[in-house]
Coordinates of all heavy atoms in Angstrom, one line a residue:
M1 N -5.6 5.6 4.8 CA -4.8 6.4 5.8 C -5.1 7.8 5.7 O -5.3 8.3 4.5 CB -3.2 6.2 5.7 CG -2.5 6.9 6.7 SD -0.7 6.6 6.6 CE -0.3 7.7 5.2
A2 N -5.2 8.6 6.7 CA -5.5 10.1 6.6 C -4.9 10.7 7.8 O -5.0 10.3 8.9 CB -7.0 10.3 6.5
V3 N -4.5 12.0 7.6 CA -4.0 12.8 8.7 C -4.8 14.1 8.6 O -5.2 14.6 7.6 CB -2.5 13.2 8.4 CG1 -2.0 14.2 9.4 CG2 -1.6 11.9 8.5
L4 N -5.3 14.6 9.8 CA -6.1 15.8 9.9 C -5.4 16.9 9.0 O -4.1 17.1 9.2 CB -6.2 16.2 11.3 CG -7.2 15.5 12.2 CD1 -7.1 16.0 13.6 CD2 -8.6 15.6 11.6
P5 N -6.2 17.6 8.2 CA -5.5 18.6 7.3 C -4.6 19.6 8.0 O -3.5 19.9 7.5 CB -6.8 19.4 6.8 CG -7.9 18.3 6.8 CD -7.6 17.5 8.0
A6 N -5.0 20.0 9.2 CA -4.1 21.0 9.9 C -2.8 20.4 10.4 O -1.8 21.1 10.6 CB -4.8 21.5 11.2
L7 N -2.7 19.1 10.4 CA -1.5 18.4 10.8 C -0.7 17.8 9.6 O 0.3 17.1 9.9 CB -1.8 17.3 11.9 CG -2.4 17.9 13.1 CD1 -2.8 16.8 14.1 CD2 -1.4 18.9 13.9
Q8 N -1.2 17.9 8.4 CA -0.6 17.3 7.3 C 0.8 18.0 7.0 O 1.0 19.1 7.4 CB -1.5 17.4 6.0 CG -2.6 16.4 6.1 CD -3.6 16.6 4.9 OE1 -3.3 17.2 3.9 NE2 -4.7 15.9 5.1
R9 N 1.6 17.3 6.4 CA 3.0 17.7 6.1 C 3.8 18.1 7.2 O 4.7 18.9 7.2 CB 2.9 19.0 5.1 CG 2.2 18.6 3.8 CD 2.3 19.7 2.8 NE 1.7 19.2 1.6 CZ 2.2 19.4 0.4 NH1 3.2 20.1 0.2 NH2 1.6 18.9 -0.7
T10 N 3.6 17.3 8.3 CA 4.5 17.5 9.5 C 5.2 16.1 9.8 O 5.7 16.0 10.9 CB 3.7 17.9 10.7 OG1 2.7 16.9 11.1 CG2 3.0 19.3 10.5
G11 N 5.0 15.2 8.9 CA 5.7 13.9 9.1 C 4.9 12.8 9.7 O 5.4 11.6 9.8
I12 N 3.7 13.1 10.1 CA 2.9 12.1 10.7 C 2.6 10.9 9.8 O 2.7 9.7 10.1 CB 1.6 12.6 11.3 CG1 1.8 13.7 12.3 CG2 0.6 11.5 11.8 CD1 0.6 14.5 12.9
G13 N 2.2 11.2 8.6 CA 1.8 10.2 7.6 C 3.0 9.2 7.3 O 2.9 8.0 7.3
S14 N 4.2 9.8 7.1 CA 5.4 9.0 6.9 C 5.7 8.1 8.1 O 6.1 7.0 8.0 CB 6.5 9.9 6.5 OG 6.3 10.7 5.4
S15 N 5.6 8.7 9.3 CA 5.8 7.9 10.5 C 4.9 6.7 10.6 O 5.3 5.6 10.9 CB 5.7 8.8 11.8 OG 6.7 9.8 11.8
L16 N 3.6 7.0 10.3 CA 2.6 5.9 10.3 C 3.0 4.8 9.3 O 2.9 3.5 9.6 CB 1.3 6.4 10.1 CG 0.6 7.2 11.2 CD1 -0.7 7.9 10.7 CD2 0.3 6.3 12.4
V17 N 3.3 5.2 8.1 CA 3.6 4.2 7.1 C 4.9 3.4 7.5 O 4.9 2.2 7.4 CB 3.8 4.9 5.7 CG1 4.4 3.8 4.7 CG2 2.6 5.5 5.2
R18 N 5.9 4.1 7.9 CA 7.2 3.4 8.2 C 7.0 2.4 9.3 O 7.5 1.3 9.4 CB 8.3 4.4 8.5 CG 8.7 5.2 7.3 CD 10.1 5.8 7.3 NE 10.5 6.3 6.0 CZ 10.3 7.5 5.7 NH1 9.8 8.4 6.5 NH2 10.6 8.0 4.5
R19 N 6.2 2.9 10.4 CA 6.0 2.0 11.5 C 5.1 0.8 11.1 O 5.4 -0.3 11.5 CB 5.3 2.8 12.6 CG 4.9 2.0 13.9 CD 6.2 1.3 14.5 NE 5.7 0.4 15.5 CZ 5.7 0.7 16.8 NH1 6.0 1.9 17.3 NH2 5.3 -0.2 17.7
G20 N 4.1 1.1 10.2 CA 3.3 0.0 9.8 C 4.1 -1.1 9.0 O 4.0 -2.3 9.1
L21 N 5.0 -0.5 8.1 CA 5.8 -1.5 7.3 C 6.8 -2.3 8.2 O 7.0 -3.5 8.0 CB 6.6 -0.7 6.3 CG 5.8 0.0 5.2 CD1 6.7 0.8 4.3 CD2 5.0 -1.1 4.5
A22 N 7.3 -1.6 9.3 CA 8.3 -2.3 10.2 C 7.5 -3.4 11.0 O 8.0 -4.5 11.1 CB 8.9 -1.3 11.1
D23 N 6.3 -3.0 11.4 CA 5.5 -4.0 12.2 C 5.1 -5.2 11.3 O 5.2 -6.4 11.7 CB 4.2 -3.4 12.7 CG 4.5 -2.5 13.9 OD1 5.7 -2.5 14.4 OD2 3.5 -1.8 14.4
A24 N 4.7 -4.9 10.1 CA 4.3 -6.0 9.1 C 5.6 -6.9 8.8 O 5.4 -8.1 8.8 CB 3.8 -5.4 7.8
R25 N 6.7 -6.3 8.7 CA 7.9 -7.1 8.5 C 8.2 -7.9 9.7 O 8.5 -9.2 9.6 CB 9.2 -6.1 8.2 CG 10.3 -6.9 7.7 CD 11.5 -5.8 7.4 NE 11.3 -5.0 6.3 CZ 11.0 -3.7 6.3 NH1 11.0 -3.0 7.5 NH2 10.8 -3.0 5.2
D26 N 8.1 -7.3 10.9 CA 8.3 -8.1 12.2 C 7.3 -9.3 12.3 O 7.7 -10.3 13.0 CB 8.3 -7.2 13.4 CG 9.4 -6.2 13.4 OD1 10.4 -6.4 12.7 OD2 9.3 -5.3 14.3
L27 N 6.1 -9.1 11.8 CA 5.1 -10.2 11.9 C 5.3 -11.2 10.8 O 4.6 -12.3 10.8 CB 3.7 -9.5 11.7 CG 3.2 -8.7 12.9 CD1 2.0 -8.0 12.5 CD2 2.9 -9.6 14.0
G28 N 6.3 -11.0 10.0 CA 6.7 -12.1 9.0 C 6.0 -11.9 7.7 O 6.2 -12.8 6.8
H29 N 5.3 -10.8 7.4 CA 4.7 -10.6 6.1 C 5.9 -10.3 5.1 O 6.9 -9.6 5.4 CB 3.7 -9.4 6.1 CG 2.6 -9.8 7.0 ND1 1.6 -10.7 6.6 CD2 2.2 -9.3 8.1 CE1 0.7 -10.8 7.6 NE2 1.0 -9.9 8.6
G30 N 5.7 -10.8 3.8 CA 6.7 -10.6 2.8 C 6.4 -9.4 1.8 O 7.2 -8.9 1.2
V31 N 5.1 -9.1 1.7 CA 4.6 -8.2 0.7 C 3.5 -7.3 1.3 O 2.7 -7.7 2.0 CB 4.1 -8.9 -0.5 CG1 3.5 -8.0 -1.6 CG2 5.1 -9.8 -1.2
V32 N 3.5 -6.0 0.8 CA 2.4 -5.1 1.1 C 1.9 -4.5 -0.2 O 2.6 -4.2 -1.1 CB 2.9 -3.9 2.0 CG1 1.8 -2.9 2.2 CG2 3.4 -4.4 3.3
I33 N 0.5 -4.6 -0.3 CA -0.2 -4.0 -1.5 C -0.9 -2.8 -1.0 O -1.5 -2.8 0.0 CB -1.2 -5.0 -2.0 CG1 -0.4 -6.3 -2.4 CG2 -1.9 -4.4 -3.2 CD1 0.4 -6.3 -3.6
V34 N -0.9 -1.7 -1.7 CA -1.7 -0.5 -1.3 C -2.3 0.1 -2.6 O -1.9 -0.2 -3.7 CB -0.8 0.6 -0.7 CG1 -0.2 0.2 0.6 CG2 0.2 1.2 -1.7
V35 N -3.4 0.8 -2.3 CA -4.0 1.6 -3.4 C -3.9 3.1 -2.8 O -4.4 3.4 -1.7 CB -5.5 1.3 -3.6 CG1 -6.1 2.3 -4.6 CG2 -5.7 -0.1 -4.0
G36 N -3.1 3.9 -3.5 CA -2.9 5.2 -2.9 C -2.2 6.1 -4.0 O -2.0 5.7 -5.1
H37 N -1.7 7.2 -3.5 CA -1.1 8.2 -4.4 C 0.2 7.7 -4.8 O 1.1 7.6 -3.9 CB -1.0 9.6 -3.7 CG -2.3 10.2 -3.3 ND1 -3.3 10.6 -4.2 CD2 -2.8 10.4 -2.0 CE1 -4.3 11.0 -3.4 NE2 -4.1 11.0 -2.2
P38 N 0.5 7.5 -6.1 CA 1.8 6.9 -6.4 C 2.9 7.9 -6.1 O 4.0 7.4 -5.6 CB 1.8 6.9 -8.0 CG 0.2 6.9 -8.3 CD -0.4 7.6 -7.2
G39 N 2.8 9.2 -6.1 CA 3.8 10.2 -5.8 C 4.1 10.1 -4.2 O 5.2 10.5 -3.9
Y40 N 3.1 9.6 -3.5 CA 3.4 9.6 -2.1 C 4.1 8.3 -1.7 O 5.1 8.3 -1.0 CB 2.1 9.7 -1.3 CG 2.3 9.8 0.2 CD1 3.0 10.9 0.8 CD2 1.8 8.8 1.1 CE1 3.2 11.0 2.2 CE2 2.1 8.9 2.4 CZ 2.7 9.9 3.0 OH 2.9 10.0 4.3
Y41 N 3.5 7.1 -2.2 CA 4.0 5.9 -1.7 C 5.4 5.5 -2.3 O 6.1 4.6 -1.8 CB 3.0 4.8 -1.9 CG 1.9 4.8 -0.9 CD1 0.7 5.5 -1.2 CD2 2.1 4.3 0.4 CE1 -0.2 5.6 -0.2 CE2 1.1 4.5 1.4 CZ -0.1 5.1 1.1 OH -1.0 5.2 2.1
A42 N 5.7 6.1 -3.4 CA 7.0 5.7 -4.1 C 8.2 6.0 -3.1 O 9.1 5.3 -3.1 CB 7.2 6.5 -5.3
R43 N 8.0 7.0 -2.2 CA 9.1 7.3 -1.3 C 9.4 6.2 -0.3 O 10.5 6.2 0.3 CB 8.8 8.7 -0.6 CG 7.7 8.5 0.4 CD 7.4 9.9 1.0 NE 7.0 10.9 0.0 CZ 7.1 12.2 0.1 NH1 7.5 12.7 1.3 NH2 6.7 13.0 -0.8
F44 N 8.5 5.3 -0.2 CA 8.7 4.2 0.8 C 9.1 2.9 0.0 O 9.3 1.9 0.6 CB 7.4 3.9 1.5 CG 6.8 5.1 2.2 CD1 5.7 5.7 1.7 CD2 7.5 5.6 3.4 CE1 5.2 6.9 2.4 CE2 6.9 6.8 3.9 CZ 5.8 7.4 3.5
G45 N 9.3 3.1 -1.3 CA 9.7 1.9 -2.0 C 8.7 1.2 -2.8 O 8.9 0.2 -3.5
F46 N 7.4 1.6 -2.8 CA 6.3 1.0 -3.5 C 6.5 1.2 -5.0 O 6.9 2.3 -5.4 CB 5.0 1.6 -3.0 CG 4.5 1.0 -1.7 CD1 4.8 1.6 -0.5 CD2 3.7 -0.2 -1.6 CE1 4.4 1.1 0.7 CE2 3.3 -0.6 -0.5 CZ 3.6 0.0 0.7
V47 N 6.2 0.2 -5.8 CA 6.3 0.3 -7.2 C 4.9 -0.1 -7.8 O 4.2 -0.9 -7.1 CB 7.4 -0.6 -7.8 CG1 8.7 -0.1 -7.3 CG2 7.2 -2.0 -7.4
P48 N 4.6 0.3 -9.1 CA 3.3 -0.2 -9.6 C 3.3 -1.7 -9.7 O 4.2 -2.4 -10.1 CB 3.3 0.4 -11.1 CG 4.2 1.6 -10.9 CD 5.3 1.3 -9.9
A49 N 2.1 -2.3 -9.3 CA 2.0 -3.7 -9.2 C 1.7 -4.4 -10.5 O 2.1 -5.5 -10.7 CB 1.0 -4.1 -8.1
E50 N 0.9 -3.7 -11.3 CA 0.4 -4.4 -12.6 C 1.6 -4.9 -13.5 O 1.6 -5.9 -14.1 CB -0.5 -3.5 -13.3 CG -1.9 -3.6 -12.7 CD -3.0 -3.1 -13.6 OE1 -2.7 -2.5 -14.7 OE2 -4.2 -3.3 -13.3
P51 N 2.6 -4.0 -13.6 CA 3.7 -4.5 -14.5 C 4.5 -5.7 -13.9 O 5.2 -6.4 -14.6 CB 4.8 -3.2 -14.5 CG 3.9 -2.1 -14.2 CD 2.8 -2.6 -13.2
L52 N 4.3 -6.0 -12.6 CA 4.8 -7.2 -12.0 C 3.9 -8.4 -12.3 O 4.3 -9.5 -11.8 CB 5.0 -6.9 -10.5 CG 5.9 -5.8 -10.0 CD1 5.9 -5.6 -8.6 CD2 7.3 -6.0 -10.5
G53 N 2.7 -8.1 -12.9 CA 1.8 -9.3 -13.1 C 0.8 -9.5 -11.9 O 0.2 -10.5 -11.8
I54 N 0.7 -8.4 -11.1 CA -0.3 -8.5 -10.0 C -1.4 -7.6 -10.2 O -1.2 -6.4 -10.4 CB 0.5 -8.1 -8.7 CG1 1.6 -9.1 -8.4 CG2 -0.4 -8.1 -7.5 CD1 2.6 -8.7 -7.4
R55 N -2.6 -8.2 -10.2 CA -3.8 -7.4 -10.6 C -4.7 -7.2 -9.3 O -4.7 -7.9 -8.4 CB -4.6 -8.2 -11.6 CG -3.9 -8.5 -13.0 CD -4.9 -9.1 -14.0 NE -5.6 -10.3 -13.3 CZ -5.0 -11.5 -13.2 NH1 -3.8 -11.8 -13.7 NH2 -5.8 -12.5 -12.8
A56 N -5.5 -6.1 -9.4 CA -6.4 -5.8 -8.4 C -7.7 -6.5 -8.6 O -8.1 -6.7 -9.8 CB -6.7 -4.2 -8.4
P57 N -8.5 -6.9 -7.6 CA -9.8 -7.5 -7.8 C -10.9 -6.6 -8.0 O -12.1 -6.9 -7.9 CB -10.0 -8.4 -6.5 CG -9.2 -7.5 -5.5 CD -8.1 -6.8 -6.2
F58 N -10.6 -5.3 -8.2 CA -11.6 -4.2 -8.5 C -10.9 -3.2 -9.5 O -9.7 -3.2 -9.7 CB -11.9 -3.6 -7.2 CG -10.8 -3.3 -6.3 CD1 -10.0 -2.3 -6.5 CD2 -10.6 -4.1 -5.2 CE1 -8.9 -2.0 -5.7 CE2 -9.6 -3.9 -4.3 CZ -8.7 -2.8 -4.6
E59 N -11.8 -2.4 -10.0 CA -11.4 -1.3 -10.9 C -10.6 -0.3 -10.1 O -11.0 0.2 -9.1 CB -12.6 -0.6 -11.5 CG -13.3 -1.3 -12.6 CD -12.4 -1.4 -13.8 OE1 -11.9 -0.3 -14.3 OE2 -12.3 -2.5 -14.4
V60 N -9.3 -0.1 -10.6 CA -8.5 0.9 -10.0 C -7.5 1.5 -11.0 O -7.1 0.8 -12.0 CB -7.7 0.3 -8.8 CG1 -6.8 -0.9 -9.3 CG2 -6.9 1.3 -8.1
S61 N -7.2 2.8 -10.8 CA -6.2 3.4 -11.7 C -4.9 2.6 -11.6 O -4.4 2.5 -10.5 CB -6.1 4.8 -11.4 OG -4.8 5.3 -11.7
S62 N -4.3 2.2 -12.7 CA -3.2 1.3 -12.6 C -2.1 1.9 -11.7 O -1.5 1.1 -10.9 CB -2.7 0.9 -14.0 OG -1.5 0.2 -14.0
P63 N -1.5 3.1 -11.9 CA -0.4 3.6 -11.1 C -0.6 3.5 -9.6 O 0.3 3.6 -8.8 CB -0.1 5.0 -11.7 CG -0.9 5.0 -12.9 CD -2.0 4.1 -12.9
A64 N -1.9 3.7 -9.3 CA -2.4 3.8 -7.8 C -2.3 2.4 -7.1 O -2.2 2.3 -5.9 CB -3.8 4.3 -7.7
F65 N -2.2 1.3 -7.9 CA -2.1 0.0 -7.3 C -0.7 -0.4 -7.2 O -0.1 -0.7 -8.2 CB -3.0 -0.9 -8.3 CG -3.2 -2.3 -7.6 CD1 -3.8 -2.5 -6.5 CD2 -2.6 -3.4 -8.3 CE1 -4.0 -3.7 -6.0 CE2 -2.8 -4.7 -7.8 CZ -3.5 -4.9 -6.7
M66 N -0.2 -0.5 -6.0 CA 1.3 -0.6 -5.8 C 1.7 -1.7 -4.9 O 0.8 -2.2 -4.1 CB 1.8 0.7 -5.3 CG 1.8 1.8 -6.2 SD 2.1 3.4 -5.4 CE 0.5 3.7 -4.7
A67 N 2.9 -2.2 -5.0 CA 3.4 -3.3 -4.1 C 4.8 -3.0 -3.6 O 5.5 -2.2 -4.2 CB 3.5 -4.6 -5.0
L68 N 5.1 -3.5 -2.5 CA 6.4 -3.4 -1.9 C 6.8 -4.7 -1.3 O 6.0 -5.4 -0.6 CB 6.3 -2.4 -0.7 CG 7.5 -2.2 0.1 CD1 8.6 -1.6 -0.6 CD2 7.2 -1.5 1.5
E69 N 8.0 -5.2 -1.6 CA 8.6 -6.4 -1.0 C 9.1 -6.0 0.3 O 10.0 -5.1 0.4 CB 9.7 -6.9 -1.9 CG 9.2 -7.6 -3.2 CD 10.4 -8.2 -4.0 OE1 11.5 -7.6 -3.9 OE2 10.0 -9.1 -4.8
L70 N 8.7 -6.7 1.4 CA 9.3 -6.5 2.8 C 10.5 -7.4 2.9 O 11.4 -7.1 3.7 CB 8.3 -6.8 3.8 CG 7.1 -5.7 3.9 CD1 6.2 -6.3 5.0 CD2 7.6 -4.4 4.2
R71 N 10.5 -8.5 2.1 CA 11.6 -9.5 2.1 C 12.1 -9.5 0.7 O 11.3 -9.6 -0.2 CB 10.9 -10.8 2.5 CG 11.8 -11.7 3.2 CD 11.2 -13.0 3.7 NE 10.3 -13.6 2.7 CZ 9.0 -13.8 3.0 NH1 8.4 -13.5 4.1 NH2 8.2 -14.3 2.0
P72 N 13.4 -9.5 0.5 CA 13.9 -9.5 -0.9 C 13.4 -10.7 -1.7 O 13.3 -11.8 -1.2 CB 15.4 -9.7 -0.7 CG 15.7 -9.1 0.7 CD 14.4 -9.4 1.5
D73 N 13.0 -10.4 -2.9 CA 12.4 -11.5 -3.8 C 11.1 -12.1 -3.4 O 10.8 -13.2 -3.8 CB 13.5 -12.5 -4.1 CG 14.7 -12.0 -4.9 OD1 14.5 -11.0 -5.6 OD2 15.8 -12.5 -4.7
A74 N 10.4 -11.4 -2.4 CA 9.2 -12.1 -2.0 C 8.2 -12.2 -3.1 O 7.3 -13.1 -3.0 CB 8.6 -11.3 -0.9
L75 N 8.3 -11.3 -4.2 CA 7.4 -11.3 -5.3 C 7.9 -12.1 -6.5 O 7.2 -12.2 -7.5 CB 7.0 -9.9 -5.7 CG 6.0 -9.2 -4.8 CD1 5.9 -7.7 -5.2 CD2 4.6 -9.9 -4.8
R76 N 9.1 -12.7 -6.3 CA 9.6 -13.5 -7.5 C 8.7 -14.6 -7.8 O 8.5 -15.4 -7.0 CB 11.0 -13.9 -7.2 CG 11.6 -14.6 -8.4 CD 13.0 -15.1 -8.1 NE 14.0 -14.1 -7.9 CZ 15.3 -14.4 -7.9 NH1 15.8 -15.6 -8.1 NH2 16.1 -13.3 -7.7
G77 N 8.3 -14.7 -9.1 CA 7.5 -15.8 -9.5 C 6.0 -15.7 -9.1 O 5.2 -16.5 -9.3
V78 N 5.6 -14.6 -8.4 CA 4.3 -14.4 -7.9 C 3.5 -13.6 -8.9 O 3.9 -12.5 -9.3 CB 4.2 -13.6 -6.6 CG1 2.8 -13.4 -6.1 CG2 5.0 -14.4 -5.5
R79 N 2.3 -14.1 -9.4 CA 1.5 -13.5 -10.4 C 0.0 -13.8 -10.0 O -0.3 -14.7 -9.3 CB 1.7 -14.2 -11.8 CG 3.1 -14.0 -12.4 CD 3.3 -12.7 -12.9 NE 4.6 -12.6 -13.6 CZ 5.8 -12.3 -12.9 NH1 5.7 -12.2 -11.5 NH2 7.0 -12.3 -13.5
G80 N -0.9 -12.9 -10.5 CA -2.3 -13.2 -10.3 C -3.0 -12.0 -9.7 O -2.5 -10.9 -9.6
E81 N -4.2 -12.3 -9.2 CA -5.1 -11.4 -8.6 C -5.1 -11.3 -7.2 O -5.0 -12.4 -6.5 CB -6.6 -11.7 -9.0 CG -7.5 -10.5 -8.7 CD -8.9 -10.8 -9.3 OE1 -9.1 -10.6 -10.4 OE2 -9.7 -11.4 -8.5
V82 N -4.9 -10.2 -6.6 CA -4.9 -10.1 -5.1 C -6.2 -10.4 -4.5 O -7.2 -10.0 -4.9 CB -4.5 -8.6 -4.7 CG1 -4.5 -8.5 -3.1 CG2 -3.1 -8.3 -5.1
R83 N -6.1 -11.2 -3.4 CA -7.3 -11.6 -2.7 C -7.3 -10.9 -1.3 O -6.4 -11.1 -0.5 CB -7.4 -13.1 -2.4 CG -8.8 -13.6 -2.3 CD -8.8 -15.1 -2.1 NE -8.1 -15.9 -3.2 CZ -7.6 -17.1 -2.9 NH1 -7.6 -17.7 -1.8 NH2 -7.0 -17.8 -4.0
Y84 N -8.3 -10.0 -1.2 CA -8.3 -9.1 0.1 C -9.1 -10.0 1.2 O -9.9 -10.7 0.9 CB -9.1 -7.8 -0.2 CG -8.2 -6.8 -0.9 CD1 -7.8 -6.9 -2.2 CD2 -7.8 -5.7 -0.1 CE1 -7.0 -5.9 -2.8 CE2 -7.0 -4.7 -0.7 CZ -6.6 -4.8 -2.0 OH -5.8 -3.9 -2.6
P85 N -8.6 -9.7 2.4 CA -9.4 -10.2 3.6 C -10.8 -9.8 3.5 O -11.1 -8.6 3.1 CB -8.7 -9.8 4.9 CG -7.4 -9.1 4.4 CD -7.6 -8.8 2.9
P86 N -11.7 -10.6 4.0 CA -13.2 -10.2 4.0 C -13.5 -8.9 4.6 O -14.4 -8.2 4.3 CB -13.9 -11.3 4.7 CG -12.9 -12.3 5.2 CD -11.6 -11.9 4.7
E87 N -12.7 -8.5 5.6 CA -13.0 -7.2 6.3 C -13.0 -6.1 5.4 O -13.7 -5.1 5.7 CB -11.9 -7.0 7.4 CG -12.0 -7.9 8.6 CD -11.3 -9.2 8.3 OE1 -10.8 -9.4 7.3 OE2 -11.4 -10.1 9.2
F88 N -12.2 -6.1 4.3 CA -12.2 -5.0 3.4 C -13.6 -4.7 2.7 O -14.0 -3.6 2.4 CB -11.2 -5.3 2.3 CG -9.8 -4.8 2.7 CD1 -9.1 -5.5 3.5 CD2 -9.3 -3.6 2.1 CE1 -7.8 -5.0 3.9 CE2 -8.1 -3.2 2.4 CZ -7.3 -3.9 3.3
A89 N -14.5 -5.8 2.6 CA -15.7 -5.7 1.9 C -16.7 -4.9 2.9 O -17.7 -4.2 2.4 CB -16.3 -7.0 1.7
D90 N -16.3 -4.7 4.1 CA -17.3 -4.0 5.1 C -16.9 -2.6 5.3 O -17.6 -1.9 6.0 CB -17.2 -4.8 6.4 CG -17.8 -6.1 6.4 OD1 -18.6 -6.5 5.5 OD2 -17.3 -7.0 7.2
V91 N -15.8 -2.2 4.7 CA -15.3 -0.8 4.8 C -16.1 0.1 4.0 O -16.3 -0.1 2.8 CB -13.8 -0.6 4.5 CG1 -13.4 0.8 4.6 CG2 -12.9 -1.6 5.4
E92 N -16.7 1.1 4.6 CA -17.5 2.1 3.8 C -16.7 2.7 2.8 O -15.6 3.2 3.0 CB -18.1 3.2 4.8 CG -19.2 3.8 4.2 CD -19.9 4.8 5.2 OE1 -20.0 4.5 6.3 OE2 -20.4 5.8 4.7
G93 N -17.2 2.8 1.5 CA -16.5 3.3 0.5 C -15.4 2.4 -0.2 O -14.7 2.7 -1.1
S94 N -15.5 1.1 0.3 CA -14.6 0.1 -0.2 C -14.9 -0.1 -1.7 O -16.0 -0.2 -2.1 CB -14.7 -1.2 0.5 OG -14.1 -2.2 -0.2
P95 N -13.8 -0.3 -2.5 CA -14.1 -0.5 -3.9 C -14.6 -1.9 -4.2 O -15.0 -2.2 -5.3 CB -12.6 -0.4 -4.5 CG -11.7 -0.6 -3.4 CD -12.4 -0.2 -2.1
Q96 N -14.7 -2.8 -3.2 CA -15.1 -4.1 -3.5 C -16.6 -4.2 -3.4 O -17.2 -3.5 -2.5 CB -14.5 -5.1 -2.5 CG -13.0 -5.3 -2.8 CD -12.5 -6.3 -1.9 OE1 -12.7 -7.5 -2.2 NE2 -11.7 -6.0 -0.9
Ligands
COA1 C1 -1.5 11.5 2.3 C2 -1.4 11.9 3.7 C3 -1.8 10.7 4.6 C4 0.0 12.2 4.0 O1 0.2 12.5 5.4 P1 1.2 13.6 6.0 O2 1.3 13.5 7.4 O3 0.7 14.9 5.4 O4 2.5 13.2 5.2 P2 4.0 13.6 5.6 O5 4.0 14.8 6.5 O6 4.7 12.4 6.3 O7 4.6 13.7 4.2 C5 4.4 14.9 3.5 C6 5.0 14.7 2.1 O8 4.0 13.9 1.3 C7 3.7 14.7 0.2 N1 2.2 14.4 -0.2 C8 1.2 14.5 0.6 N2 0.1 14.1 -0.1 C9 0.6 13.7 -1.3 C10 -0.1 13.3 -2.5 N3 -1.4 13.1 -2.5 N4 0.7 12.9 -3.6 C11 2.0 13.0 -3.5 N5 2.7 13.5 -2.4 C12 1.9 13.8 -1.3 C13 3.9 16.1 0.6 O9 4.0 16.9 -0.6 C14 5.1 16.0 1.4 O10 6.2 16.0 0.5 P3 7.7 16.5 1.0 O11 8.1 15.7 2.2 O12 8.5 16.3 -0.2 O13 7.5 17.9 1.3 C15 -2.2 13.2 4.0 O14 -1.9 14.2 3.1 C16 -3.7 12.9 4.0 O15 -4.4 12.5 5.0 N6 -4.4 13.2 2.8 C17 -5.9 13.0 2.7 C18 -6.3 11.6 2.7 C19 -5.7 10.8 1.7 O16 -5.5 11.3 0.5 N7 -5.1 9.6 2.1 C20 -4.4 8.7 1.2 C21 -5.2 7.5 0.9 S1 -4.1 6.5 0.2

């Protein structure tokens, strides 16, 4: 996610995240995983994923790898390595 520098800090990023999370919830998804700035995503409820037993399939700074439950207890008993959809491998600069 990125907002043009001249338009940053005007609420666009937060609106995009909140709308994206609401849409994901409406679509029935239970969990969202992100790699991003911990100080930014914490405000939406994201927490570090590794202490929950959820690992990234690539090298990443641990605090930057975060998870959010869209449904209460969606991560209860869930452990292991995240499997990304194949489209991620085609993204330029993708860590995979
Ligand atoms: C991160 C980004 C998408 C945020 O978008 P935005 O429209 O500026 O965000 P908002 O206006 O909704 O929120 C601004 C708040 O986020 C905070 N923030 C912005 N970038 C941050 C960062 N890297 N770490 C922590 N907080 C950050 C601001 O301090 C501000 O805090 P405040 O509300 O307490 O004043 C934008 O700064 C950006 O495009 N950055 C460059 C690309 C990037 O780093 N993308 C993230 C990849 S995960």
